[in-house]
Amino acid sequence: MKKLTALLLAGFMALSLAACGGTTSSGSSSESTEPESSSTASGETASAETASYEVTTVEPGVLTMSTNAAFPPYEMTTDDDSFEGIDVDMATEIAHRLGLELDIRNVDFDYALQMVQIGTSDIAMAGITITEDRLTNMDFSNTYANGVQVIIVPEDSDIAGPEDLAGKLIGVQTGTTGEMFCIDEFGSDAVNSNDNGMTAVSKLLNGQVDAVVIDNAPAQEFVASNPGLKILDTAYADEDYAIAVQKGNTQLLDAINSILADMEADGTTQAIIDKYINAG
Ligand code: ARG
Protein backbone atom coordinates (compact mmCIF):
# COMPACT_ATOMS: atom_id res chain seq x y z
CA MET A 1 0.00 0.00 0.00
CA LYS A 2 2.76 2.38 0.93
CA LYS A 3 4.66 1.62 -2.24
CA LEU A 4 1.59 2.09 -4.37
CA THR A 5 0.96 5.42 -2.72
CA ALA A 6 4.50 6.45 -3.44
CA LEU A 7 4.18 5.29 -7.02
CA LEU A 8 0.92 7.10 -7.60
CA LEU A 9 2.18 10.21 -5.90
CA ALA A 10 5.30 10.16 -8.03
CA GLY A 11 3.17 9.89 -11.14
CA PHE A 12 0.86 12.58 -9.84
CA MET A 13 3.69 14.99 -9.14
CA ALA A 14 5.47 14.33 -12.41
CA LEU A 15 2.27 14.93 -14.31
CA SER A 16 1.38 17.99 -12.28
CA LEU A 17 4.67 19.47 -13.38
CA ALA A 18 4.35 18.40 -16.95
CA ALA A 19 0.63 19.21 -17.01
CA CYS A 20 0.01 17.01 -19.97
CA GLY A 21 -2.31 14.04 -20.14
CA GLY A 22 0.18 12.05 -22.14
CA THR A 23 1.00 8.45 -22.65
CA THR A 24 3.74 6.44 -20.99
CA SER A 25 7.13 6.72 -22.57
CA SER A 26 9.09 4.93 -19.89
CA GLY A 27 7.27 1.68 -19.33
CA SER A 28 8.53 -0.89 -16.87
CA SER A 29 9.07 -4.43 -18.06
CA SER A 30 7.86 -4.35 -21.61
CA GLU A 31 7.62 -1.79 -24.35
CA SER A 32 4.62 -1.56 -26.57
CA THR A 33 6.38 -1.62 -29.88
CA GLU A 34 4.30 -0.69 -32.86
CA PRO A 35 3.95 -3.50 -35.36
CA GLU A 36 4.80 -2.57 -38.94
CA SER A 37 1.44 -3.45 -40.31
CA SER A 38 -1.86 -3.60 -38.53
CA SER A 39 -3.93 -4.76 -41.42
CA THR A 40 -4.54 -8.15 -39.82
CA ALA A 41 -8.14 -8.69 -38.92
CA SER A 42 -8.32 -9.65 -35.28
CA GLY A 43 -8.89 -13.30 -34.77
CA GLU A 44 -7.87 -15.81 -37.28
CA THR A 45 -4.10 -15.56 -37.62
CA ALA A 46 -1.45 -18.05 -36.65
CA SER A 47 -3.39 -21.23 -36.13
CA ALA A 48 0.05 -22.83 -36.30
CA GLU A 49 0.52 -21.68 -32.68
CA THR A 50 -2.38 -23.80 -31.48
CA ALA A 51 -1.68 -26.94 -29.49
CA SER A 52 1.94 -26.17 -28.71
CA TYR A 53 1.05 -25.27 -25.12
CA GLU A 54 0.30 -27.62 -22.23
CA VAL A 55 -1.78 -25.85 -19.63
CA THR A 56 -4.03 -27.12 -16.88
CA THR A 57 -7.18 -25.04 -16.46
CA VAL A 58 -9.98 -24.81 -13.90
CA GLU A 59 -12.25 -26.58 -16.37
CA PRO A 60 -10.64 -28.88 -18.95
CA GLY A 61 -10.74 -27.47 -22.47
CA VAL A 62 -11.86 -24.08 -21.22
CA LEU A 63 -10.05 -20.85 -20.38
CA THR A 64 -12.14 -19.18 -17.67
CA MET A 65 -11.75 -15.41 -17.56
CA SER A 66 -13.15 -13.27 -14.76
CA THR A 67 -13.90 -9.65 -15.60
CA ASN A 68 -16.12 -6.69 -14.86
CA ALA A 69 -17.75 -5.85 -18.17
CA ALA A 70 -18.62 -2.22 -17.51
CA PHE A 71 -15.32 -0.76 -18.62
CA PRO A 72 -15.46 0.28 -22.27
CA PRO A 73 -13.58 -0.15 -24.55
CA TYR A 74 -11.83 -2.98 -22.66
CA GLU A 75 -14.92 -4.98 -21.72
CA MET A 76 -18.60 -4.30 -22.11
CA THR A 77 -21.81 -6.19 -22.74
CA THR A 78 -23.55 -6.14 -26.11
CA ASP A 79 -27.30 -5.77 -26.69
CA ASP A 80 -27.66 -9.53 -26.89
CA ASP A 81 -25.85 -10.01 -23.55
CA SER A 82 -22.59 -11.26 -24.91
CA PHE A 83 -19.26 -9.52 -24.37
CA GLU A 84 -16.99 -7.37 -26.47
CA GLY A 85 -13.96 -5.13 -26.06
CA ILE A 86 -10.19 -5.18 -26.23
CA ASP A 87 -9.79 -7.66 -23.36
CA VAL A 88 -12.54 -9.88 -24.74
CA ASP A 89 -10.91 -10.05 -28.19
CA MET A 90 -7.44 -10.50 -26.68
CA ALA A 91 -8.65 -13.33 -24.43
CA THR A 92 -10.56 -14.96 -27.27
CA GLU A 93 -7.38 -15.02 -29.34
CA ILE A 94 -5.25 -16.26 -26.42
CA ALA A 95 -7.73 -19.07 -25.72
CA HIS A 96 -7.74 -19.94 -29.42
CA ARG A 97 -3.93 -20.15 -29.51
CA LEU A 98 -4.02 -22.32 -26.37
CA GLY A 99 -6.54 -24.61 -28.06
CA LEU A 100 -9.21 -23.73 -25.48
CA GLU A 101 -12.72 -22.28 -25.45
CA LEU A 102 -13.11 -18.94 -23.67
CA ASP A 103 -15.67 -18.70 -20.87
CA ILE A 104 -16.26 -15.19 -19.46
CA ARG A 105 -17.51 -14.61 -15.91
CA ASN A 106 -18.82 -11.08 -15.40
CA VAL A 107 -18.55 -10.10 -11.73
CA ASP A 108 -17.67 -7.09 -9.57
CA PHE A 109 -14.16 -5.80 -10.29
CA ASP A 110 -12.70 -6.71 -6.91
CA TYR A 111 -14.22 -10.19 -7.13
CA ALA A 112 -12.78 -10.68 -10.63
CA LEU A 113 -9.34 -10.29 -9.01
CA GLN A 114 -10.26 -12.61 -6.15
CA MET A 115 -11.42 -15.34 -8.53
CA VAL A 116 -7.90 -15.90 -9.86
CA GLN A 117 -6.53 -15.89 -6.33
CA ILE A 118 -8.94 -18.56 -5.09
CA GLY A 119 -8.65 -20.54 -8.32
CA THR A 120 -12.16 -20.23 -9.72
CA SER A 121 -10.95 -18.47 -12.86
CA ASP A 122 -7.78 -19.06 -14.86
CA ILE A 123 -7.23 -15.43 -15.77
CA ALA A 124 -8.59 -12.07 -14.75
CA MET A 125 -8.63 -9.54 -17.54
CA ALA A 126 -10.31 -6.23 -16.82
CA GLY A 127 -7.99 -3.38 -17.71
CA ILE A 128 -6.15 -4.43 -14.56
CA THR A 129 -3.27 -2.22 -13.51
CA ILE A 130 -0.14 -3.90 -12.17
CA THR A 131 0.49 -2.62 -8.62
CA GLU A 132 2.93 -3.64 -5.90
CA ASP A 133 0.02 -4.51 -3.68
CA ARG A 134 -1.64 -6.81 -6.21
CA LEU A 135 1.70 -8.45 -7.05
CA THR A 136 1.78 -9.90 -3.53
CA ASN A 137 -1.50 -11.76 -4.19
CA MET A 138 -1.36 -12.72 -7.86
CA ASP A 139 1.01 -12.90 -10.80
CA PHE A 140 0.81 -10.67 -13.85
CA SER A 141 1.65 -11.24 -17.50
CA ASN A 142 3.67 -8.76 -19.49
CA THR A 143 1.73 -5.59 -20.12
CA TYR A 144 -0.45 -5.30 -23.23
CA ALA A 145 -1.85 -1.76 -22.84
CA ASN A 146 -1.43 1.43 -20.83
CA GLY A 147 -3.77 3.74 -19.00
CA VAL A 148 -3.73 6.90 -16.91
CA GLN A 149 -6.15 8.03 -14.25
CA VAL A 150 -8.10 11.12 -15.32
CA ILE A 151 -10.64 13.41 -13.71
CA ILE A 152 -14.11 13.87 -15.21
CA VAL A 153 -16.08 16.97 -14.16
CA PRO A 154 -19.19 18.81 -15.38
CA GLU A 155 -18.33 21.29 -18.15
CA ASP A 156 -19.00 24.28 -15.87
CA SER A 157 -17.04 22.90 -12.89
CA ASP A 158 -14.57 25.09 -11.01
CA ILE A 159 -12.31 22.04 -10.59
CA ALA A 160 -9.35 22.55 -12.92
CA GLY A 161 -6.89 19.96 -11.63
CA PRO A 162 -6.15 17.44 -8.88
CA GLU A 163 -5.29 20.22 -6.43
CA ASP A 164 -8.91 21.43 -6.61
CA LEU A 165 -10.27 18.05 -5.51
CA ALA A 166 -9.56 18.71 -1.84
CA GLY A 167 -12.86 19.17 -0.01
CA LYS A 168 -14.89 17.73 -2.90
CA LEU A 169 -16.71 14.41 -3.20
CA ILE A 170 -15.03 12.13 -5.73
CA GLY A 171 -16.80 9.20 -7.40
CA VAL A 172 -14.72 6.10 -8.15
CA GLN A 173 -15.14 2.40 -8.84
CA THR A 174 -14.68 0.04 -5.88
CA GLY A 175 -11.39 -1.82 -5.78
CA THR A 176 -9.67 0.22 -8.48
CA THR A 177 -6.43 2.15 -8.45
CA GLY A 178 -8.48 5.34 -8.85
CA GLU A 179 -10.21 4.55 -5.56
CA MET A 180 -6.94 3.71 -3.80
CA PHE A 181 -5.31 6.89 -4.97
CA CYS A 182 -8.18 9.15 -3.95
CA ILE A 183 -8.51 7.54 -0.51
CA ASP A 184 -4.78 7.89 0.09
CA GLU A 185 -4.71 11.45 -1.14
CA PHE A 186 -8.01 12.90 0.10
CA GLY A 187 -9.25 10.47 2.77
CA SER A 188 -12.14 8.01 2.60
CA ASP A 189 -14.76 10.64 3.48
CA ALA A 190 -13.93 12.40 0.22
CA VAL A 191 -14.48 9.25 -1.82
CA ASN A 192 -17.78 7.80 -3.05
CA SER A 193 -17.23 4.20 -4.20
CA ASN A 194 -19.45 2.56 -6.79
CA ASP A 195 -19.98 -0.86 -8.33
CA ASN A 196 -18.91 0.45 -11.70
CA GLY A 197 -17.63 3.56 -13.39
CA MET A 198 -20.89 4.35 -15.15
CA THR A 199 -22.71 4.54 -11.81
CA ALA A 200 -20.14 7.07 -10.64
CA VAL A 201 -20.64 9.04 -13.87
CA SER A 202 -24.44 8.98 -13.39
CA LYS A 203 -23.94 10.47 -9.95
CA LEU A 204 -21.78 13.17 -11.50
CA LEU A 205 -24.57 13.99 -13.96
CA ASN A 206 -27.03 14.18 -11.04
CA GLY A 207 -24.75 16.40 -8.98
CA GLN A 208 -24.28 13.75 -6.28
CA VAL A 209 -20.49 13.79 -6.69
CA ASP A 210 -18.22 16.64 -7.84
CA ALA A 211 -15.80 14.64 -9.96
CA VAL A 212 -15.05 11.08 -11.09
CA VAL A 213 -11.55 9.60 -11.15
CA ILE A 214 -11.21 6.70 -13.59
CA ASP A 215 -8.96 5.30 -16.33
CA ASN A 216 -8.72 7.49 -19.43
CA ALA A 217 -10.15 5.05 -21.99
CA PRO A 218 -13.52 4.45 -20.27
CA ALA A 219 -13.55 8.15 -19.35
CA GLN A 220 -13.46 9.07 -23.05
CA GLU A 221 -16.35 6.72 -23.75
CA PHE A 222 -18.47 7.94 -20.83
CA VAL A 223 -17.92 11.59 -21.74
CA ALA A 224 -18.64 10.96 -25.42
CA SER A 225 -22.00 9.40 -24.55
CA ASN A 226 -23.00 11.87 -21.80
CA PRO A 227 -23.13 15.52 -22.89
CA GLY A 228 -22.20 18.15 -20.30
CA LEU A 229 -19.06 16.46 -19.01
CA LYS A 230 -15.37 17.01 -19.73
CA ILE A 231 -12.06 15.35 -18.94
CA LEU A 232 -9.40 17.51 -17.33
CA ASP A 233 -6.07 17.33 -19.12
CA THR A 234 -4.13 16.67 -15.94
CA ALA A 235 -3.69 12.96 -15.45
CA TYR A 236 -2.86 11.11 -12.26
CA ALA A 237 -0.64 8.13 -12.85
CA ASP A 238 0.74 6.05 -15.68
CA GLU A 239 -0.43 2.49 -15.40
CA ASP A 240 0.36 -0.77 -17.17
CA TYR A 241 -2.48 -3.21 -17.83
CA ALA A 242 -1.79 -6.92 -17.62
CA ILE A 243 -3.47 -10.30 -17.30
CA ALA A 244 -3.65 -11.72 -13.77
CA VAL A 245 -3.20 -15.42 -12.99
CA GLN A 246 -3.05 -17.34 -9.72
CA LYS A 247 0.21 -16.84 -7.87
CA GLY A 248 2.72 -19.48 -8.91
CA ASN A 249 0.88 -20.59 -12.06
CA THR A 250 4.00 -20.21 -14.20
CA GLN A 251 2.76 -22.80 -16.72
CA LEU A 252 -0.16 -20.59 -17.75
CA LEU A 253 1.77 -17.36 -17.28
CA ASP A 254 4.62 -18.47 -19.55
CA ALA A 255 2.18 -19.62 -22.23
CA ILE A 256 0.29 -16.31 -22.06
CA ASN A 257 3.49 -14.26 -22.25
CA SER A 258 4.65 -16.24 -25.24
CA ILE A 259 1.29 -15.76 -26.98
CA LEU A 260 1.24 -12.05 -26.11
CA ALA A 261 4.67 -11.68 -27.71
CA ASP A 262 3.44 -13.47 -30.84
CA MET A 263 0.30 -11.35 -30.98
CA GLU A 264 2.38 -8.21 -30.62
CA ALA A 265 4.80 -9.32 -33.34
CA ASP A 266 2.16 -10.40 -35.85
CA GLY A 267 0.05 -7.26 -35.42
CA THR A 268 -2.93 -8.92 -33.76
CA THR A 269 -2.75 -6.85 -30.57
CA GLN A 270 -2.52 -3.57 -32.44
CA ALA A 271 -5.38 -4.58 -34.73
CA ILE A 272 -7.57 -5.31 -31.70
CA ILE A 273 -6.68 -2.00 -30.03
CA ASP A 274 -7.30 -0.12 -33.31
CA LYS A 275 -10.67 -1.81 -33.66
CA TYR A 276 -11.86 -0.29 -30.39
CA ILE A 277 -9.76 2.84 -29.85
CA ASN A 278 -8.17 4.26 -32.96
CA ALA A 279 -10.93 3.23 -35.34
CA GLY A 280 -11.92 5.59 -38.09
N1 ARG B 1 -7.09 0.05 -14.12
C1 ARG B 1 -7.85 0.17 -12.92
C2 ARG B 1 -7.40 -0.85 -11.90
O1 ARG B 1 -6.76 -1.79 -12.23
C3 ARG B 1 -9.35 0.03 -13.15
C4 ARG B 1 -9.79 -1.22 -13.81
C5 ARG B 1 -11.29 -1.40 -13.79
N2 ARG B 1 -11.68 -2.43 -14.69
C6 ARG B 1 -12.95 -2.86 -14.90
N3 ARG B 1 -13.15 -3.79 -15.81
N4 ARG B 1 -13.93 -2.37 -14.24
O2 ARG B 1 -7.69 -0.73 -10.74
Side-chain angles (χ1 to χ4, degrees):
M1 203 62 180
K2 288 276 134 49
K3 276 187 184 153
L4 172 67
T5 310
L7 180 80
L8 288 168
L9 280 173
F12 166 63
M13 277 140 88
L15 283 156
S16 306
L17 289 174
C20 66
T23 49
T24 351
S25 53
S26 58
S28 45
S29 45
S30 82
E31 304 295 316
S32 47
T33 38
E34 303 281 325
E36 242 88 275
S37 140
S38 53
S39 57
T40 332
S42 69
E44 299 315 319
T45 50
S47 50
E49 314 305 330
T50 311
S52 46
Y53 300 101
E54 272 283 326
V55 295
T56 307
T57 53
V58 173
E59 196 184 325
V62 175
L63 184 71
T64 305
M65 159 182 162
S66 49
T67 193
N68 172 251
F71 195 73
Y74 285 90
E75 44 269 326
M76 53 274 187
T77 46
T78 61
D79 290 341
D80 62 351
D81 267 338
S82 62
F83 302 101
E84 65 178 356
I86 293 168
D87 288 343
V88 174
D89 283 13
M90 293 281 294
T92 302
E93 182 62 19
I94 290 167
H96 174 72
R97 294 189 189 198
L98 287 168
L100 301 170
E101 288 294 320
L102 182 68
D103 182 18
I104 296 179
R105 302 292 168 84
N106 185 20
V107 297
D108 285 345
F109 179 69
D110 43 5
Y111 193 63
L113 297 182
Q114 280 173 38
M115 281 179 73
V116 279
Q117 296 174 56
I118 60 181
T120 51
S121 69
D122 299 300
I123 60 171
M125 218 175 162
I128 304 170
T129 304
I130 305 172
T131 69
E132 293 290 333
D133 227 23
R134 289 174 182 161
L135 276 168
T136 62
N137 299 319
M138 61 197 94
D139 287 339
F140 281 104
S141 71
N142 294 330
T143 179
Y144 63 91
N146 305 104
V148 292
Q149 296 297 309
V150 297
I151 303 165
I152 311 176
V153 294
E155 263 162 8
D156 59 359
S157 173
D158 57 0
I159 299 171
E163 61 286 350
D164 298 331
L165 287 176
K168 306 282 186 183
L169 188 59
I170 310 159
V172 297
Q173 184 183 10
T174 306
T176 60
T177 50
E179 181 190 54
M180 291 176 226
F181 176 81
C182 289
I183 289 176
D184 284 348
E185 186 71 1
F186 304 106
S188 44
D189 286 352
V191 176
N192 180 269
S193 299
N194 298 273
D195 282 351
N196 65 63
M198 192 50 225
T199 308
V201 169
S202 302
K203 288 186 179 174
L204 185 61
L205 290 164
N206 295 335
Q208 293 166 272
V209 298
D210 300 305
V212 168
V213 169
I214 195 166
D215 304 49
N216 58 328
Q220 306 274 359
E221 303 256 347
F222 292 146
V223 167
S225 49
N226 294 283
L229 302 177
K230 66 178 180 188
I231 298 172
L232 299 182
D233 60 4
T234 49
Y236 265 96
D238 290 333
E239 303 186 345
D240 292 326
Y241 294 165
I243 302 169
V245 304
Q246 192 173 40
K247 202 148 189 58
N249 190 353
T250 48
Q251 185 196 47
L252 182 58
L253 196 65
D254 290 350
I256 287 175
N257 278 334
S258 155
I259 291 170
L260 282 177
D262 289 344
M263 287 172 64
E264 185 94 33
D266 67 24
T268 307
T269 301
Q270 193 61 46
I272 291 171
I273 290 173
D274 287 348
K275 175 176 161 191
Y276 290 99
I277 291 188
N278 306 325

